[in-house]
Amino acid sequence: MKIRANLQHLDRALARMGMSACASCPTPMVSEANREEEDVDPVGEPRSAQQFRSVVMLLMYYTQDVFKAQYACKELARDASKPRKSSVQRLKRFLRFLQGIRHESVWFPSSPPGRSSLMVGHSDTNWAACKATRKSTTGGLIVVAGCALYSFSPTQSVVAVASGMVWRCYRVGGGFVFER
């Protein structure tokens, strides 16, 4: 069985940004090392900020089924309260990336009757990776029978002062705590 994200959300986001016929790009983001100094200029008109938020929220729905795009979408959503000109540039690059992978899908093979499906969870944290806030991002993936079923990449709410602190502070729904 193949599951593909709903292209309606991507098409609406591309149309709102006037990028329906845009070319694709190979990566969703520019690495921190290659990124130019962040600008502090706000987007300008309130309408532009509203458009940025609207498109990012559409993409949040779309990327629920596109695992390799979830982190980049989360980073864009962090700028939603006060979008800057660089936020709009990153959004446009992200839309070009999504345009290039629009026909990719998640594949779930059917398992023979009586065969158990092993569930495996993976997680990792990049300690204080955000240069502006020194906050960490935890990433995780749940795999069932060799197929990715669920992924997550939230920004932690606390500022880590030591790498061991990162694991103790992260909570998963239901009260589970990952500890090192």
Side-chain angles (χ1 to χ4, degrees):
M1 172 172 61
K2 287 186 179 182
I3 297 177
R4 182 182 302 166
N6 187 347
L7 292 176
Q8 174 186 356
H9 299 300
L10 178 60
D11 291 338
R12 286 175 58 196
L14 287 165
R16 285 187 187 175
M17 294 299 289
M19 299 176 62
S20 295
C22 68
S24 64
C25 69
T27 59
M29 298 172 57
V30 177
S31 70
E32 288 291 328
N34 296 334
R35 189 184 287 179
E36 294 180 19
E37 194 63 35
E38 284 290 321
D39 66 330
V40 292
D41 295 335
V43 138
E45 306 171 13
R47 180 164 168 73
S48 298
Q50 181 182 8
Q51 178 187 24
F52 177 84
R53 290 183 195 107
S54 172
V55 170
V56 169
M57 293 307 122
L58 273 171
L59 295 176
M60 300 254 330
Y61 281 111
Y62 179 74
T63 58
Q64 288 178 359
D65 296 323
V66 184
F67 297 148
K68 63 175 135 184
Q70 288 177 349
Y71 175 78
C73 191
K74 182 227 19 142
E75 289 297 311
L76 286 170
R78 290 178 66 191
D79 290 343
S81 63
K82 293 181 184 175
R84 300 179 303 272
K85 290 179 182 177
S86 63
S87 305
V88 175
Q89 290 173 344
R90 286 196 306 270
L91 174 60
K92 288 181 177 181
R93 180 181 181 90
F94 185 56
L95 285 167
R96 288 177 43 225
F97 170 75
L98 292 175
Q99 179 78 323
I101 65 165
R102 71 182 294 133
H103 295 295
E104 291 186 12
S105 58
V106 179
W107 177 68
F108 295 102
S110 59
S111 59
R115 180 177 167 218
S116 66
S117 298
L118 180 65
M119 179 184 285
V120 179
H122 305 278
S123 67
D124 195 9
T125 301
N126 64 347
W127 175 63
C130 179
K131 303 218 183 297
T133 63
R134 295 197 61 237
K135 291 185 178 180
S136 304
T137 296
T138 298
L141 182 67
I142 306 288
V143 180
V144 178
C147 299
L149 182 64
Y150 177 74
S151 70
F152 58 93
S153 63
T155 300
Q156 296 181 7
S157 60
V158 294
V159 176
V161 293
S163 60
M165 184 178 167
V166 173
W167 286 91
R168 285 192 299 273
C169 292
Y170 184 71
R171 292 187 158 287
V172 176
F176 296 104
V177 177
F178 290 114
E179 293 188 276
R180 255 192 166 171

mmCIF file of all heavy atoms in Angstrom, residues 10-11 13-15 17-25 91-102:
data_model
loop_
_atom_site.group_PDB
_atom_site.id
_atom_site.type_symbol
_atom_site.label_atom_id
_atom_site.label_comp_id
_atom_site.label_asym_id
_atom_site.label_seq_id
_atom_site.Cartn_x
_atom_site.Cartn_y
_atom_site.Cartn_z
ATOM 1 N N LEU A 10 -0.434 21.329 -1.054
ATOM 2 C CA LEU A 10 0.760 21.858 -1.709
ATOM 3 C C LEU A 10 0.377 22.777 -2.859
ATOM 4 O O LEU A 10 0.955 23.860 -3.003
ATOM 5 C CB LEU A 10 1.647 20.710 -2.209
ATOM 6 C CG LEU A 10 2.904 21.139 -2.963
ATOM 7 C CD1 LEU A 10 3.807 22.007 -2.090
ATOM 8 C CD2 LEU A 10 3.662 19.923 -3.463
ATOM 9 N N ASP A 11 -0.576 22.384 -3.663
ATOM 10 C CA ASP A 11 -0.991 23.214 -4.800
ATOM 11 C C ASP A 11 -1.547 24.559 -4.333
ATOM 12 O O ASP A 11 -1.258 25.599 -4.943
ATOM 13 C CB ASP A 11 -2.030 22.481 -5.647
ATOM 14 C CG ASP A 11 -1.433 21.288 -6.386
ATOM 15 O OD1 ASP A 11 -0.194 21.267 -6.588
ATOM 16 O OD2 ASP A 11 -2.188 20.372 -6.752
ATOM 17 N N ALA A 13 -0.737 26.099 -1.511
ATOM 18 C CA ALA A 13 0.386 26.878 -0.989
ATOM 19 C C ALA A 13 1.202 27.483 -2.132
ATOM 20 O O ALA A 13 1.574 28.661 -2.083
ATOM 21 C CB ALA A 13 1.275 25.991 -0.111
ATOM 22 N N LEU A 14 1.467 26.690 -3.165
ATOM 23 C CA LEU A 14 2.213 27.196 -4.313
ATOM 24 C C LEU A 14 1.446 28.329 -5.002
ATOM 25 O O LEU A 14 2.044 29.344 -5.392
ATOM 26 C CB LEU A 14 2.490 26.066 -5.310
ATOM 27 C CG LEU A 14 3.543 25.046 -4.876
ATOM 28 C CD1 LEU A 14 3.470 23.797 -5.743
ATOM 29 C CD2 LEU A 14 4.927 25.660 -4.926
ATOM 30 N N ALA A 15 0.146 28.175 -5.136
ATOM 31 C CA ALA A 15 -0.666 29.209 -5.788
ATOM 32 C C ALA A 15 -0.673 30.496 -4.971
ATOM 33 O O ALA A 15 -0.561 31.594 -5.531
ATOM 34 C CB ALA A 15 -2.090 28.698 -5.996
ATOM 35 N N MET A 17 1.594 31.674 -3.112
ATOM 36 C CA MET A 17 2.891 32.353 -3.232
ATOM 37 C C MET A 17 3.228 32.686 -4.682
ATOM 38 O O MET A 17 4.303 33.207 -4.954
ATOM 39 C CB MET A 17 3.994 31.476 -2.625
ATOM 40 C CG MET A 17 3.889 31.274 -1.135
ATOM 41 S SD MET A 17 3.982 32.808 -0.172
ATOM 42 C CE MET A 17 5.684 33.248 -0.382
ATOM 43 N N GLY A 18 2.337 32.361 -5.623
ATOM 44 C CA GLY A 18 2.581 32.641 -7.036
ATOM 45 C C GLY A 18 3.689 31.781 -7.617
ATOM 46 O O GLY A 18 4.442 32.231 -8.479
ATOM 47 N N MET A 19 3.798 30.532 -7.146
ATOM 48 C CA MET A 19 4.900 29.656 -7.555
ATOM 49 C C MET A 19 4.397 28.350 -8.164
ATOM 50 O O MET A 19 5.084 27.340 -8.098
ATOM 51 C CB MET A 19 5.780 29.352 -6.342
ATOM 52 C CG MET A 19 6.421 30.557 -5.722
ATOM 53 S SD MET A 19 7.357 30.161 -4.239
ATOM 54 C CE MET A 19 8.606 29.066 -4.865
ATOM 55 N N SER A 20 3.232 28.349 -8.787
ATOM 56 C CA SER A 20 2.647 27.114 -9.309
ATOM 57 C C SER A 20 3.528 26.419 -10.340
ATOM 58 O O SER A 20 3.510 25.195 -10.445
ATOM 59 C CB SER A 20 1.272 27.397 -9.910
ATOM 60 O OG SER A 20 0.395 27.806 -8.895
ATOM 61 N N ALA A 21 4.289 27.166 -11.085
ATOM 62 C CA ALA A 21 5.132 26.576 -12.133
ATOM 63 C C ALA A 21 6.619 26.713 -11.802
ATOM 64 O O ALA A 21 7.455 26.794 -12.697
ATOM 65 C CB ALA A 21 4.828 27.244 -13.467
ATOM 66 N N CYS A 22 6.962 26.704 -10.520
ATOM 67 C CA CYS A 22 8.355 26.912 -10.129
ATOM 68 C C CYS A 22 9.211 25.674 -10.401
ATOM 69 O O CYS A 22 8.718 24.557 -10.481
ATOM 70 C CB CYS A 22 8.447 27.296 -8.654
ATOM 71 S SG CYS A 22 8.000 25.980 -7.513
ATOM 72 N N ALA A 23 10.506 25.910 -10.533
ATOM 73 C CA ALA A 23 11.465 24.812 -10.683
ATOM 74 C C ALA A 23 11.758 24.238 -9.303
ATOM 75 O O ALA A 23 11.562 24.895 -8.283
ATOM 76 C CB ALA A 23 12.749 25.330 -11.319
ATOM 77 N N SER A 24 12.243 23.004 -9.266
ATOM 78 C CA SER A 24 12.540 22.373 -7.982
ATOM 79 C C SER A 24 13.971 22.653 -7.550
ATOM 80 O O SER A 24 14.797 23.100 -8.340
ATOM 81 C CB SER A 24 12.311 20.866 -8.080
ATOM 82 O OG SER A 24 13.211 20.307 -8.991
ATOM 83 N N CYS A 25 14.256 22.385 -6.281
ATOM 84 C CA CYS A 25 15.622 22.471 -5.763
ATOM 85 C C CYS A 25 15.878 21.206 -4.946
ATOM 86 O O CYS A 25 14.941 20.576 -4.455
ATOM 87 C CB CYS A 25 15.842 23.738 -4.957
ATOM 88 S SG CYS A 25 14.992 23.819 -3.402
ATOM 89 N N LEU A 91 10.863 30.067 2.919
ATOM 90 C CA LEU A 91 9.593 29.457 2.530
ATOM 91 C C LEU A 91 9.576 29.163 1.034
ATOM 92 O O LEU A 91 9.171 28.075 0.611
ATOM 93 C CB LEU A 91 8.427 30.368 2.907
ATOM 94 C CG LEU A 91 7.039 29.928 2.430
ATOM 95 C CD1 LEU A 91 6.672 28.567 3.009
ATOM 96 C CD2 LEU A 91 6.006 30.978 2.787
ATOM 97 N N LYS A 92 10.049 30.087 0.229
ATOM 98 C CA LYS A 92 10.063 29.872 -1.220
ATOM 99 C C LYS A 92 10.989 28.719 -1.592
ATOM 100 O O LYS A 92 10.658 27.903 -2.452
ATOM 101 C CB LYS A 92 10.470 31.151 -1.949
ATOM 102 C CG LYS A 92 9.380 32.210 -1.902
ATOM 103 C CD LYS A 92 9.793 33.457 -2.637
ATOM 104 C CE LYS A 92 8.665 34.473 -2.633
ATOM 105 N NZ LYS A 92 9.016 35.692 -3.364
ATOM 106 N N ARG A 93 12.136 28.635 -0.949
ATOM 107 C CA ARG A 93 13.041 27.507 -1.223
ATOM 108 C C ARG A 93 12.380 26.192 -0.827
ATOM 109 O O ARG A 93 12.468 25.193 -1.537
ATOM 110 C CB ARG A 93 14.358 27.685 -0.479
ATOM 111 C CG ARG A 93 15.310 26.528 -0.744
ATOM 112 C CD ARG A 93 16.608 26.657 0.001
ATOM 113 N NE ARG A 93 17.460 25.532 -0.326
ATOM 114 C CZ ARG A 93 18.329 25.509 -1.319
ATOM 115 N NH1 ARG A 93 18.458 26.552 -2.107
ATOM 116 N NH2 ARG A 93 19.071 24.444 -1.545
ATOM 117 N N PHE A 94 11.718 26.186 0.313
ATOM 118 C CA PHE A 94 11.036 24.975 0.778
ATOM 119 C C PHE A 94 9.935 24.548 -0.198
ATOM 120 O O PHE A 94 9.783 23.368 -0.500
ATOM 121 C CB PHE A 94 10.468 25.228 2.177
ATOM 122 C CG PHE A 94 9.839 24.026 2.814
ATOM 123 C CD1 PHE A 94 10.544 22.846 2.969
ATOM 124 C CD2 PHE A 94 8.539 24.078 3.274
ATOM 125 C CE1 PHE A 94 9.958 21.735 3.571
ATOM 126 C CE2 PHE A 94 7.951 22.980 3.886
ATOM 127 C CZ PHE A 94 8.667 21.811 4.018
ATOM 128 N N LEU A 95 9.176 25.509 -0.713
ATOM 129 C CA LEU A 95 8.144 25.190 -1.695
ATOM 130 C C LEU A 95 8.756 24.602 -2.971
ATOM 131 O O LEU A 95 8.202 23.671 -3.556
ATOM 132 C CB LEU A 95 7.318 26.432 -2.027
ATOM 133 C CG LEU A 95 6.310 26.853 -0.960
ATOM 134 C CD1 LEU A 95 5.770 28.246 -1.236
ATOM 135 C CD2 LEU A 95 5.187 25.841 -0.868
ATOM 136 N N ARG A 96 9.903 25.121 -3.386
ATOM 137 C CA ARG A 96 10.584 24.566 -4.571
ATOM 138 C C ARG A 96 11.035 23.129 -4.309
ATOM 139 O O ARG A 96 10.953 22.268 -5.177
ATOM 140 C CB ARG A 96 11.767 25.451 -4.963
ATOM 141 C CG ARG A 96 11.307 26.773 -5.567
ATOM 142 C CD ARG A 96 12.429 27.738 -5.911
ATOM 143 N NE ARG A 96 13.550 27.097 -6.548
ATOM 144 C CZ ARG A 96 14.828 27.322 -6.223
ATOM 145 N NH1 ARG A 96 15.122 28.168 -5.257
ATOM 146 N NH2 ARG A 96 15.788 26.705 -6.846
ATOM 147 N N PHE A 97 11.498 22.843 -3.089
ATOM 148 C CA PHE A 97 11.877 21.478 -2.727
ATOM 149 C C PHE A 97 10.663 20.559 -2.778
ATOM 150 O O PHE A 97 10.721 19.460 -3.346
ATOM 151 C CB PHE A 97 12.500 21.463 -1.323
ATOM 152 C CG PHE A 97 12.704 20.087 -0.769
ATOM 153 C CD1 PHE A 97 13.724 19.282 -1.236
ATOM 154 C CD2 PHE A 97 11.868 19.597 0.225
ATOM 155 C CE1 PHE A 97 13.911 18.003 -0.728
ATOM 156 C CE2 PHE A 97 12.052 18.330 0.738
ATOM 157 C CZ PHE A 97 13.080 17.532 0.258
ATOM 158 N N LEU A 98 9.557 21.005 -2.188
ATOM 159 C CA LEU A 98 8.337 20.181 -2.182
ATOM 160 C C LEU A 98 7.806 19.948 -3.596
ATOM 161 O O LEU A 98 7.276 18.877 -3.892
ATOM 162 C CB LEU A 98 7.263 20.834 -1.313
ATOM 163 C CG LEU A 98 7.551 20.865 0.185
ATOM 164 C CD1 LEU A 98 6.460 21.641 0.919
ATOM 165 C CD2 LEU A 98 7.703 19.475 0.750
ATOM 166 N N GLN A 99 7.965 20.931 -4.457
ATOM 167 C CA GLN A 99 7.545 20.765 -5.852
ATOM 168 C C GLN A 99 8.325 19.611 -6.498
ATOM 169 O O GLN A 99 7.773 18.835 -7.274
ATOM 170 C CB GLN A 99 7.783 22.071 -6.618
ATOM 171 C CG GLN A 99 7.417 22.037 -8.073
ATOM 172 C CD GLN A 99 5.933 22.159 -8.319
ATOM 173 O OE1 GLN A 99 5.114 21.638 -7.581
ATOM 174 N NE2 GLN A 99 5.586 22.858 -9.379
ATOM 175 N N GLY A 100 9.592 19.473 -6.148
ATOM 176 C CA GLY A 100 10.424 18.409 -6.716
ATOM 177 C C GLY A 100 10.101 17.021 -6.202
ATOM 178 O O GLY A 100 10.356 16.027 -6.878
ATOM 179 N N ILE A 101 9.559 16.915 -4.986
ATOM 180 C CA ILE A 101 9.263 15.592 -4.410
ATOM 181 C C ILE A 101 7.772 15.328 -4.309
ATOM 182 O O ILE A 101 7.344 14.410 -3.612
ATOM 183 C CB ILE A 101 9.920 15.431 -3.017
ATOM 184 C CG1 ILE A 101 9.328 16.416 -2.011
ATOM 185 C CG2 ILE A 101 11.431 15.554 -3.107
ATOM 186 C CD1 ILE A 101 9.661 16.079 -0.573
ATOM 187 N N ARG A 102 6.967 16.058 -5.027
ATOM 188 C CA ARG A 102 5.512 15.991 -4.877
ATOM 189 C C ARG A 102 4.920 14.625 -5.171
ATOM 190 O O ARG A 102 3.871 14.284 -4.665
ATOM 191 C CB ARG A 102 4.842 17.079 -5.710
ATOM 192 C CG ARG A 102 4.902 16.846 -7.197
ATOM 193 C CD ARG A 102 4.268 17.969 -8.007
ATOM 194 N NE ARG A 102 2.855 18.034 -7.760
ATOM 195 C CZ ARG A 102 2.180 19.152 -7.489
ATOM 196 N NH1 ARG A 102 2.805 20.300 -7.478
ATOM 197 N NH2 ARG A 102 0.894 19.123 -7.263
#
